[in-house]
Amino acid sequence: MSRRRSTLAMLSGWGMLGWVAGTAAQLQQAYLWPPAIYGVSAIVALLMAGLALKTRWAPAVLLSAAMLAAACTGLRAAAYDAQSLSPELEGRSLVLTGVITGLPQRSAQGLRFGFEVREAVDGDRAVRVPDQWLLGWYGQALPAAVVPGQVWRFQVRAKAPHGAMNPHGFDRERWFWSQGIGARGSVQAGRSALPPALLQETRGHWFDRARLWTRDRILARVDDAAQAGVLAALVVGDQAALSVNAWDLFRVTGVSHLMSISGLHVTLFAWCAVRLVRWMWRGLAYRWPEAVMLVPAPSAGTWGGLMLATAYAVFSGWGVPAQRTLLMLAVMMGLRLLRGRWPWGLTWMVAMCCVVVLDPWALLQSGFWLSFVAVGMLFAADPGNDVDRGQAQEPVVRSVPVRAWRAGFGLLREQAVVTMALAPLGLMLFGQFSVVGLMVNLLAIPWVTLVVTPLALLGVVLAPLWHLAAVSVDGMLHLLHWAASFSWATIFLPRAPFALAALAVAGGVLAAIRWPLPMRMAGALLAWPALLWMPHSPGHGEFELLALDVGQGSAVLVRTASHSLLFDTGPAYPGGGDGGRSIVVPTLQAMGVAPDAVVVSHADKDHAGGAAAVAASFPDALWLGASPTGKTGTRCHAGQGWEWDGVRFEVLNPYPEDHGELGKPRLSSNAMSCVLMVGVPGPRSALLTGDMDQARELRMISDRPDLRAGLMLSPHHGSHTSSSPAFLNVVQAHTVIVQAGYLNPFRHPSTRVVRRYEARDMNWYSTPQCGAALWRSTEPLEVVCQRTMDRRYWHRR
């Protein structure tokens, strides 16, 4: 490479690195600046970039690119934020007219779909609302077909994008933001609501119509839901077709990356398309020789195959792995046609920078980093680079067994390199590592790439091939179930702080690169601090309480010096799933906590909905109160108690006589709630109340007039049937935590109850506004809100 090209490559690399770094820095902002500031920053950055290119000083190029990237991303974010749902419209009933978009998702509970609004009316006045909505249509007689491109009119209850905020949890509000969804709502029906009406059939959104038609054909032809879900995910990118149990299986066995349109699938499709177009173009030489003379067959095949691969990627949902692969292929094909040779690092960085320019929020997706780190490691560890260093090449002519052995060894080595490099990154992002993943991927990658995916794609043209594809998927699922049956199939570790996790990722990369053994061993040593890290535990006689944000339900983690207790397991959600599987279990695993005991206050779904998932994930835990099917538990009654690490636990309700004969309760489920006092009654204790009503509160304080607590979990989520004035006067809690759902239909917490708290100078925190709430007995006047700690500008204020 000439000196001029070398300088250009160096400056380009620094500029692209600066762009990615500037974008990443802007994404860490808690609040957006005024657009004028971003505009001025962009102008200054452009002036700096001109001077930097003139001087060819790499640090100046890096700084100017970072400033320009931060300004451009900020301007895009400010423009999007200006279109967000007005707070005064939240919870109101609006009449929306618009177009169905995307792939509607139908389930047993109802229908969910994207909606592009053309007109919005509040009462008798037109209002401005975001363009893109996510609507749910539940509990009613649904139409046979809701198709992209149809124009509908709905009356909906409007909500801003909102999601639970928990330690290491999934940021749903960030997902809404990255998808461009500005609001959500539920379709209303009834005597007082305007009935949904189909107004017009349009010819638009034909791409989404084709995807929906293909998805529905797959689901209709393949009877097994798991097999059909895999095929739908591979052909049209509909990952929602896969059940929660299927995703758990793929995650445990380390093959989740194969269930999306990954780089392997796009590369295989592009390879086949290039050869097909090249063959067809050469066939034109007999009838149209001028075209072949104008555009040679290799060029036509390259760009024609790339265009077909792009169409496939768009058809399958245009995910980040597909974007990265297409950009990488385009750069490599372009350089090859230009007869240029560029460093692999620059090609890799060009693809990364292009993805970030198109979608800055891709940097926040785990798939982005997994994809690019995997590809970068395959480039860096490619033994074929030895040829460029002047080493002698091996003979080209080899026997078939030798070629097969070398191909198998190469596949094993590549998989081992990627696994070693991605293991620390996976622990950093997910807090887990699949031990069986290396073995399973050696079989699953070629099987899915060379057998399942081609059959699934060819089935679009020849539908009977989907049955063969389903049979091949069934064989793979049997292998995955067998691999997941081992107790050691997956290991979970607490997520280390960012600095330790970054060192571990760097260590994994060093250990995987073909460098001298001492340097690779040094890389392994860098990973040890993150692997051995454990979160801080309370001291002897102290405890901390974490009230999780699970929506309209309850789940509280209590930790002492060496023990932990889970009080309630989260709710079962109306649309399917439960808080135990989606929030409680992942949070505990990410924190490195395995509860010694689980107390379920009562059997209502908002408190015990996640019990089965918790029991399956922590089989050694002891159960008190309501227990899931197949799990032996102890009845909860007043008088029970124990001590952990100098911290007293005491059950205050229900009373033994409340259980009646044969264990049948004499009272309502709420009145039978297990009430737990943690610590000695006083300002450093916590009272966990369940859903007990005012009658039980009065009996409790009559039996325990000395009952005091520094923190109280609001009884019955702040319902007006609880938190009686007499009870509050006796307990005298300084802090109250209300676990409730965002804009829940019960309107918890009740305004009447909130006034009682405020009249007694009780500081109350609601999980929709606070997120997960952390309280420590050593600092009884302080509550740490997860939503405040992790504040970003896309979070609802």
Side-chain angles (χ1 to χ4, degrees):
M1 186 184 297
S2 66
R3 182 177 179 182
R4 183 177 180 181
R5 291 175 64 190
S6 178
T7 303
L8 178 61
M10 180 195 69
L11 294 178
S12 300
W14 280 104
M16 287 182 287
L17 180 62
W19 190 281
V20 174
T23 303
Q26 196 278 335
L27 296 179
Q28 302 305 311
Q29 285 186 233
Y31 300 98
L32 286 172
W33 298 341
I37 296 180
Y38 290 118
V40 172
S41 300
I43 295 174
V44 173
L46 286 172
L47 295 176
M48 287 181 57
L51 294 175
L53 292 175
K54 186 175 181 180
T55 60
R56 297 185 179 181
W57 191 38
V61 174
L62 176 71
L63 179 60
S64 59
M67 285 186 59
L68 185 60
C72 292
T73 305
L75 285 172
R76 291 176 63 176
Y80 177 74
D81 187 66
Q83 300 178 9
S84 60
L85 183 69
S86 173
E88 66 179 15
L89 296 179
E90 278 200 272
R92 295 188 63 83
S93 183
L94 306 179
V95 177
L96 304 181
T97 303
V99 182
I100 307 293
T101 62
L103 287 182
Q105 304 294 333
R106 191 180 295 268
S107 65
Q109 290 75 29
L111 190 66
R112 190 175 64 172
F113 51 91
F115 195 65
E116 184 178 334
V117 175
R118 294 179 175 178
E119 181 184 14
V121 177
D122 179 18
D124 56 355
R125 65 186 180 100
V127 293
R128 186 191 64 83
V129 297
D131 294 335
Q132 301 297 329
W133 287 58
L134 181 65
L135 297 184
W137 195 350
Y138 303 115
Q140 305 162 29
L142 302 178
V146 175
V147 180
Q150 290 178 336
V151 178
W152 281 79
R153 183 186 62 206
F154 297 114
Q155 182 170 333
V156 305
R157 186 182 185 221
K159 292 184 179 181
H162 183 88
M165 290 287 289
N166 292 286
H168 315 293
F170 176 68
D171 192 343
R172 187 165 178 80
E173 292 178 42
R174 183 185 69 198
W175 180 85
F176 279 120
W177 180 281
S178 64
Q179 298 297 313
I181 299 173
R184 59 195 179 102
S186 55
V187 176
Q188 296 180 313
R191 295 180 180 178
S192 59
L194 192 67
L198 174 62
L199 303 181
Q200 183 182 358
E201 292 277 1
T202 67
R203 296 181 179 180
H205 297 268
W206 61 269
F207 223 58
D208 285 335
R209 285 174 178 261
R211 295 179 65 204
L212 178 64
W213 176 78
T214 304
R215 195 269 311 267
D216 290 346
R217 286 183 67 203
I218 292 175
L219 298 181
R221 279 189 168 267
V222 180
D223 296 331
D224 186 89
Q227 299 169 11
V230 171
L231 297 183
L234 293 176
V235 175
V236 298
D238 183 17
Q239 298 184 17
L242 293 166
S243 66
V244 176
N245 292 330
W247 278 118
D248 288 342
L249 175 65
F250 300 148
R251 188 163 47 248
V252 168
T253 53
V255 298
S256 298
H257 62 99
L258 293 176
M259 297 304 116
S260 60
I261 308 300
S262 66
L264 285 172
H265 304 137
V266 176
T267 303
L268 173 66
F269 189 92
W271 182 83
C272 296
V274 165
R275 278 149 182 78
L276 176 63
V277 173
R278 188 180 300 174
W279 174 77
M280 294 176 64
W281 195 259
R282 284 172 178 167
L284 290 176
Y286 301 101
R287 296 186 177 182
W288 195 12
E290 294 83 2
V292 180
M293 293 294 293
L294 182 64
V295 181
S299 298
T302 296
W303 295 115
L306 187 62
M307 291 174 62
L308 289 175
T310 303
Y312 168 55
V314 174
F315 184 76
S316 61
W318 194 240
V320 171
Q323 296 176 34
R324 181 261 306 161
T325 304
L326 281 172
L327 289 169
M328 189 79 74
L329 289 173
V331 170
M332 296 180 69
M333 290 177 177
L335 293 178
R336 177 173 296 180
L337 291 176
L338 294 174
R339 301 183 183 278
R341 296 195 57 171
W342 298 86
W344 70 263
L346 183 62
T347 305
W348 180 77
M349 183 61 74
V350 167
M352 175 183 286
C353 194
C354 288
V355 172
V356 174
V357 169
L358 292 174
D359 181 13
W361 295 276
L363 282 172
L364 300 172
Q365 300 179 18
S366 58
F368 175 91
W369 295 105
L370 292 172
S371 297
F372 276 98
V373 170
V375 171
M377 285 309 307
L378 291 177
F379 270 126
D382 184 8
N385 291 333
D386 294 340
V387 177
D388 297 333
R389 302 187 184 102
Q391 297 184 11
Q393 298 188 42
E394 297 185 14
V396 176
V397 179
R398 305 185 185 96
S399 64
V400 173
V402 171
R403 289 201 301 268
W405 180 85
R406 288 182 62 87
F409 179 77
L411 180 63
L412 176 62
R413 185 186 175 282
E414 287 182 358
Q415 182 61 37
V417 165
V418 172
T419 300
M420 185 181 301
L422 294 185
L425 184 60
L427 289 172
M428 174 183 176
L429 295 173
F430 310 115
Q432 68 180 57
F433 171 68
S434 176
V435 179
V436 299
L438 174 60
M439 175 195 68
V440 170
N441 274 285
L442 283 175
L443 300 174
I445 288 178
W447 187 254
V448 172
T449 305
L450 301 177
V451 179
V452 178
T453 302
L455 288 174
L457 292 176
L458 290 173
V460 178
V461 180
L462 194 60
L465 289 178
W466 279 331
H467 295 290
L468 292 178
V471 173
S472 63
V473 170
D474 185 61
M476 182 189 68
L477 292 178
H478 278 87
L479 171 66
L480 298 183
H481 281 292
W482 172 78
S485 63
F486 297 104
S487 58
W488 44 266
T490 303
I491 59 174
F492 296 93
L493 292 176
R495 295 195 194 179
F498 178 79
L500 295 181
L503 280 178
V505 173
V509 171
L510 288 176
I513 294 179
R514 291 170 61 86
W515 281 354
L517 184 60
M519 297 185 67
R520 302 175 74 175
M521 294 300 295
L525 290 176
L526 288 177
W528 275 110
L531 297 177
L532 299 178
W533 181 84
M534 291 299 294
H536 172 74
S537 297
H540 185 79
E542 303 169 355
F543 70 95
E544 66 179 29
L545 181 148
L546 179 66
L548 296 175
D549 183 6
V550 293
Q552 187 64 25
S554 176
V556 179
L557 175 66
V558 181
R559 296 177 63 227
T560 65
S562 60
H563 293 83
S564 59
L565 176 143
L566 180 65
F567 185 86
D568 285 337
T569 60
Y573 298 128
D578 61 81
R581 181 190 297 270
S582 61
I583 296 178
V584 177
V585 171
T587 300
L588 297 186
Q589 290 174 340
M591 295 175 63
V593 173
D596 300 283
V598 179
V599 177
V600 181
S601 60
H602 59 300
D604 287 359
K605 289 184 178 181
D606 55 340
H607 293 253
V614 171
S617 300
F618 306 106
D620 296 330
L622 301 177
W623 286 73
L624 182 65
S627 59
T629 304
K631 189 73 177 180
T632 303
T634 303
R635 288 194 311 183
C636 183
H637 61 80
Q640 293 171 323
W642 66 93
E643 185 173 310
W644 283 343
D645 306 316
V647 178
R648 179 66 181 170
F649 292 78
E650 183 181 4
V651 177
L652 304 182
N653 189 72
Y655 293 86
E657 59 271 19
D658 294 334
H659 289 285
E661 298 179 359
L662 302 177
K664 186 177 181 179
R666 295 178 174 176
L667 305 173
S668 67
S669 176
N670 288 346
M672 293 292 293
S673 290
C674 185
V675 178
L676 185 66
M677 169 66 75
V678 183
V680 178
R684 297 181 183 273
S685 64
L687 183 63
L688 309 182
T689 56
D691 279 355
M692 68 173 179
D693 54 23
Q694 293 187 10
R696 308 307 289 178
E697 293 175 352
L698 295 177
R699 177 171 180 178
M700 188 180 301
I701 59 176
S702 65
D703 292 344
R704 297 287 298 270
D706 60 339
L707 187 63
R708 302 287 186 276
L711 176 138
M712 180 182 71
L713 197 66
S714 181
H716 202 180
H717 318 286
S719 168
H720 67 274
T721 61
S722 303
S723 296
S724 60
F727 181 71
L728 299 181
N729 292 338
V730 172
V731 175
Q732 299 179 14
H734 177 271
T735 303
V736 179
I737 295 178
V738 182
Q739 288 186 299
Y742 177 70
L743 292 182
N744 63 85
F746 311 103
R747 299 186 179 182
H748 294 160
S750 166
T751 304
R752 187 188 312 171
V753 170
V754 169
R755 289 173 180 168
R756 292 173 188 168
Y757 294 156
E758 294 175 346
R760 292 163 177 79
D761 293 328
M762 294 179 172
N763 295 324
W764 65 278
Y765 299 84
S766 178
T767 50
Q769 285 73 43
C770 178
L774 177 65
W775 181 88
R776 297 183 176 93
S777 62
T778 54
E779 302 175 34
L781 303 183
E782 301 293 333
V783 172
V784 179
C785 288
Q786 194 70 33
R787 191 169 285 274
T788 302
M789 290 178 58
D790 294 342
R791 167 70 65 191
R792 296 294 184 271
Y793 57 77
W794 53 79
H795 292 148
R796 187 66 179 169
R797 291 184 291 276

